[in-house]
Amino acid sequence: PISEIHFKDFTSPYLPPPLFFEYSKDYHLIICVHGLDGNFYDLRLFKTFLTLALPKENLEFLMSGSNQGKTYSSIEDMADNLLCEIYEYLHMSGPTPPKYISFIGHSMGQIGRAHP
């Protein structure tokens, strides 16, 4: 679990899990939402860091791009765009829903994500 990660774990070289390592069917979806004038590449370092730091976790990432070029729209419109993108992603990813969904939002991406 994430709560068991300690900083000392990051000092050793990263070795990928063996090919026979089996992930559980449960997965954790992490949705990364960029900020003002951003794009879906803006939070890729978070994706890389989490993937390397938590090699045994079954993480999937949605690098949101639904508001790319539209960040001067209303917060309501951006929230609707994000919701549609998430719904489409979940619909296309198969019958098993994620066990957890987390958001990483930068600046306006966090505001749009938090809008009711």
Side-chain angles (χ1 to χ4, degrees), residues 31-101:
I31 301 168
C32 297
V33 186
H34 63 80
L36 190 67
D37 272 343
N39 63 51
F40 63 93
Y41 289 116
D42 288 354
L43 298 173
R44 68 188 178 276
L45 291 178
F46 284 94
K47 176 183 176 181
T48 301
F49 177 76
L50 289 172
T51 302
L52 293 175
L54 304 167
K56 293 182 181 179
E57 297 295 323
N58 192 7
L59 303 177
E60 288 193 24
F61 291 86
L62 169 57
M63 307 304 285
S64 177
S66 62
N67 287 312
Q68 186 172 321
K70 303 174 191 173
T71 57
Y72 288 98
S73 301
S74 70
I75 292 174
E76 292 84 5
D77 288 345
M78 290 190 299
D80 287 344
N81 294 340
L82 179 60
L83 181 61
C84 289
E85 182 178 24
I86 293 168
Y87 178 77
E88 183 178 323
Y89 179 88
L90 292 173
H91 180 71
M92 299 299 289
S93 65
T96 306
K99 185 172 184 178
Y100 304 103
I101 297 178

Side-chain angles (χ1 to χ4, degrees), residues 3 6 101:
S3 61
H6 303 285
I101 297 178

